[in-house]
Amino acid sequence: MFFIATGLLAKFEMGSVCAVCEQWIISGFLRHNLIPMTLVNMLGGSVFVGLFYWFIYLTQIIRKYYD
């Protein structure tokens, strides 16, 4: 989180020298970084955790069936 604030504050020290400074605002950070990464992490986490629980449950069923 330190680097996000530093990058947003660096825009004011640089002025309008760089071409991508327009994206270095809070709305650009939210639209291009925070919201997409949050959605991808939620989707990936739910899929992988769901697959893990399904695998554990499946192995318990198989183990009971063969005992």
Side-chain angles (χ1 to χ4, degrees), residues 16-34:
S16 61
V17 175
C18 66
V20 294
C21 287
E22 297 165 358
Q23 295 179 357
W24 291 2
I25 56 177
I26 297 293
S27 64
F29 164 70
L30 291 174
R31 185 175 44 239
H32 298 293
N33 187 356
L34 189 63

Side-chain angles (χ1 to χ4, degrees), residues 1-63:
M1 295 304 286
F2 169 77
F3 293 113
I4 294 169
T6 304
L8 291 172
L9 290 175
K11 172 189 171 187
F12 296 112
E13 291 185 14
M14 295 170 112
S16 61
V17 175
C18 66
V20 294
C21 287
E22 297 165 358
Q23 295 179 357
W24 291 2
I25 56 177
I26 297 293
S27 64
F29 164 70
L30 291 174
R31 185 175 44 239
H32 298 293
N33 187 356
L34 189 63
I35 292 173
M37 289 302 109
T38 302
L39 294 175
V40 168
N41 283 335
M42 288 170 45
L43 178 66
S46 62
V47 167
F48 287 119
V49 170
L51 285 175
F52 177 74
Y53 281 133
W54 175 76
F55 179 74
I56 296 297
Y57 180 72
L58 183 65
T59 56
Q60 288 177 356
I61 290 175
I62 291 172
R63 204 175 296 156

